Structures are given as C-alpha cells and as structure tokens.
C-alpha cells in the first residue's frame, strides 16, 4: 500500500516537472511566466517647462528609494541631471533645449522587484526647440487713463505677437466679468469671432516685435495706455497670439489658434 502511494507521488512530481498541463503548473511558476521582462520601453519628453524633462519608461516599476539610478546612466554631452522615480519611469531634469543627447543604460539597472537590465542600451534623440508661447501674466488690471502703463506680454520663441484690443459692450459684460474674477487668461480663436460680432468693438489691431532670445522667456511691454488713452473709460479685452500662426482674422488657422487674453478696466478715477 505504501509502495503504491509513493509511486503515485513520484509520478505526479514527474508530470508537474515535464510537460504537465497548464492547470497543473505551480502558482509561482505561472506568475513568473505572466510577468513582463524588465526592459527599457521608450523615452518621453515634456517640453512645457523652462527646461525639457526626459522620462525613461521601463516595463516594470522602479525602486522609489535606495538606488542611485544615475550610477547606471551615462549621458553625452556630459550633464549633471536631477533624477526622480515615478512608478515605472525614471525622469531626468537639467537638460537643455536644442541639444542632442545620448543616454547609455548600463547592465544591472534594477527594478523594484530586483529584476535587472541584462544588457546595455543606447537612447538618443534631438531635444527640439521649446514650443512657442504667448502669455499674459498677473491678474486682470485696472488702468488709470492718465498713466502710461504698458501691458507685459511674455513670449518664448515668438518674434512677433499679433494683438487685438476690444472695448467690451453691454452684451459682453458677463463673460468678461467672469474672466476677470477667475483670472482666466487663455482662449481660442472663436472667442475673437464672438467678441467682434456680438460682444465688443475692435479699437486696435496690430503686432508687437519681441527680442526673442532662443528658448528663453522674454517680457515685452505693449503700450496699452497709448492705444486706449484717448478713448472712453470702460472694460477692454485684449487677445494676443503668435503672428506666425496666421496673417489675419480670416486665415484658415483662426479656429485652432490659441490665444492669450487679458481684461483691463480703464478708469478716470485715480487710485491711491
């Protein structure tokens, strides 16, 4: 009896070790078969900041603490980046726009589960110029007409800004009032159509040249006080955008054009 039982156990062990059906696999072996191999996946670039941010994505999570991942990287041209782990991504800061980088991943780079890269891998690419930006900074403004205040316009890689200045009519008060209170300074091309057709009167249209240093923010003063100085007190709505996106209000890009907008209250009452 004992001999037959021992033979059955030995036979089952051989079946599990050699060609057993999937349902008979040990749980640990099945889990290991389903887990992806630890490897580099892709490089993502975030270009929304003053400097680009490159994130190396892997197939499995990385360790949040206890590993100096920069020891497993070699970057050319040489740079001293900052590094942070975000789940399965290793993100690098301190890079520059307009530069070509090559990143060598060294064997042994570990995952959170201590799986390691089996071979070196080179990641390369050109970090393109920073995307063009046009923006107004600060909250809605109150302009005393006797003053000659300029309106600061912040740009990146935009040599010329197109501007439209509207005096807001009664039908546009509600929308502009909400924008002023909420400090909302972004819009789209259709807002120009609404303002021109229904909500306000176009009082000035033109362009503003900027110094335009490559990939750097520059602030240029738009002489708003001169533009509306001789006009009635009231609410003015200013829209600005990259002049290279279209030559006029009737161009094909007018609906997709992103705008920077600002509300200004022009008054005869001096503030103290």
């Amino acid at each position: 009896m004992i001999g037959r039982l021992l033979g059955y156990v030995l036979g089952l062990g051989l079946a599990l070790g050699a060609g057993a059906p999937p349902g008979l696999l040990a749980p640990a072996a099945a889990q290991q078969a389903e887990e992806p191999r630890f490897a580099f996946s892709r490089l993502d670039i975030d270009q929304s900041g003053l400097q680009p941010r490159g994130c190396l994505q892997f197939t499995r999570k990385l360790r949040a603490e206890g590993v100096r991942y920069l020891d497993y990287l070699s970057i050319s041209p040489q740079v001293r980046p900052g590094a942070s782990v975000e789940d399965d991504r290793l993100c690098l800061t301190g890079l520059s726009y307009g530069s070509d980088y090559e990143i060598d991943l060294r064997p042994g780079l570990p995952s959170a589960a201590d799986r390691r890269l089996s071979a070196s891998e080179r990641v390369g690419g050109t970090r393109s110029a920073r995307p063009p930006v046009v923006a107004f900074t600060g909250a809605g403004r109150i302009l005393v007409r006797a003053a000659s205040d300029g309106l600061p316009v912040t740009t990146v890689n935009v040599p010329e800004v197109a501007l439209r200045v509207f005096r807001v009519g009664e039908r546009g008060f509600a929308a502009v009032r909400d924008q002023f209170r909420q400090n909302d300074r972004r819009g789209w091309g259709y807002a120009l159509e609404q303002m021109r057709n229904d909500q306000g009167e176009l009082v000035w249209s033109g362009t503003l040249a900027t110094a335009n240093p490559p990939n750097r923010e520059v602030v240029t003063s738009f002489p708003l006080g001169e533009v509306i100085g001789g006009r009635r007190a009231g609410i003015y709505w200013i829209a600005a955008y990259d002049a290279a996106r279209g030559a006029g209000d009737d161009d094909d890009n007018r609906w997709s054009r992103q705008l920077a907008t600002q509300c200004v209250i022009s008054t005869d009452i001096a503030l103290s």
Side-chain angles (χ1 to χ4, degrees), residues 57-137:
Q57 184 161 349
F58 295 84
T59 55
R60 301 181 67 177
K61 290 183 178 181
L62 302 176
R63 291 186 190 174
E65 298 178 351
V67 177
R68 287 176 50 88
Y69 277 104
L70 289 178
D71 292 343
Y72 295 92
L73 305 181
S74 176
I75 304 176
S76 179
Q78 190 171 8
V79 65
R80 296 174 62 87
S84 61
V85 171
E86 298 178 0
D87 196 29
D88 58 356
R89 304 199 310 165
L90 177 62
C91 294
L92 306 176
T93 58
L95 307 177
S96 299
Y97 287 108
S99 299
D100 293 335
Y101 291 101
E102 286 188 343
I103 304 174
D104 288 321
L105 307 179
R106 294 170 176 160
L109 187 151
S111 71
D114 206 30
R115 300 298 176 92
R116 297 178 180 266
L117 289 184
S118 59
S120 62
E121 187 164 352
R122 175 163 294 181
V123 181
T126 300
R127 304 298 152 254
S128 60
R130 190 175 174 188
V133 173
V134 177
F136 290 113
T137 56

Side-chain angles (χ1 to χ4, degrees), residues 1 20 25 40-41 83 94 145-146 181 195-196 208 217 258:
M1 177 70 178
L25 287 177
F40 169 74
S41 176
R145 290 199 297 160
R181 289 175 175 174
M195 185 62 67
R196 182 171 53 244
L208 176 70
E217 288 189 357
Q258 190 171 34

Side-chain angles (χ1 to χ4, degrees), residues 21-259:
L24 295 179
L25 287 177
Q31 181 179 0
Q32 183 175 353
E34 293 176 359
E35 292 177 346
R37 181 177 66 92
F38 178 57
F40 169 74
S41 176
R42 69 175 186 268
L43 173 65
D44 296 325
I45 303 295
D46 179 2
Q47 296 180 312
S48 62
L50 292 175
Q51 294 179 318
R53 182 170 178 262
C55 290
L56 302 158
Q57 184 161 349
F58 295 84
T59 55
R60 301 181 67 177
K61 290 183 178 181
L62 302 176
R63 291 186 190 174
E65 298 178 351
V67 177
R68 287 176 50 88
Y69 277 104
L70 289 178
D71 292 343
Y72 295 92
L73 305 181
S74 176
I75 304 176
S76 179
Q78 190 171 8
V79 65
R80 296 174 62 87
S84 61
V85 171
E86 298 178 0
D87 196 29
D88 58 356
R89 304 199 310 165
L90 177 62
C91 294
L92 306 176
T93 58
L95 307 177
S96 299
Y97 287 108
S99 299
D100 293 335
Y101 291 101
E102 286 188 343
I103 304 174
D104 288 321
L105 307 179
R106 294 170 176 160
L109 187 151
S111 71
D114 206 30
R115 300 298 176 92
R116 297 178 180 266
L117 289 184
S118 59
S120 62
E121 187 164 352
R122 175 163 294 181
V123 181
T126 300
R127 304 298 152 254
S128 60
R130 190 175 174 188
V133 173
V134 177
F136 290 113
T137 56
R141 298 165 63 89
I142 297 178
L143 176 67
V144 179
R145 290 199 297 160
S148 58
D149 287 2
L151 185 65
V153 183
T154 301
T155 56
V156 178
N157 290 334
V158 176
E160 191 174 52
V161 178
L163 292 117
R164 305 288 184 267
V165 180
F166 294 85
R167 188 177 188 278
V168 180
E170 292 183 5
R171 297 183 65 177
F173 280 168
V176 171
R177 179 191 61 208
D178 292 341
Q179 180 180 349
F180 190 92
R181 289 175 175 174
Q182 297 170 14
N183 197 22
D184 185 3
R185 298 187 301 275
R186 307 302 297 178
W188 296 95
Y190 65 83
L192 278 176
E193 298 289 329
Q194 290 178 333
M195 185 62 67
R196 182 171 53 244
N197 296 334
D198 302 319
Q199 299 175 349
E201 172 194 2
L202 179 65
V203 299
W204 190 89
S205 175
T207 58
L208 176 70
T210 72
N212 195 36
N215 300 313
R216 292 174 54 192
E217 288 189 357
V218 61
V219 178
T220 307
S221 180
F222 171 57
L224 181 63
E226 298 178 14
V227 169
I228 65 177
R231 297 183 178 273
R232 290 178 298 164
I235 300 176
Y236 289 84
W237 184 80
I238 301 94
Y241 58 91
D242 182 359
R245 292 291 308 274
D249 294 330
D250 296 326
D251 68 90
D252 293 337
N253 296 322
R254 67 185 186 278
W255 299 115
S256 61
R257 180 194 300 138
Q258 190 171 34
L259 310 173

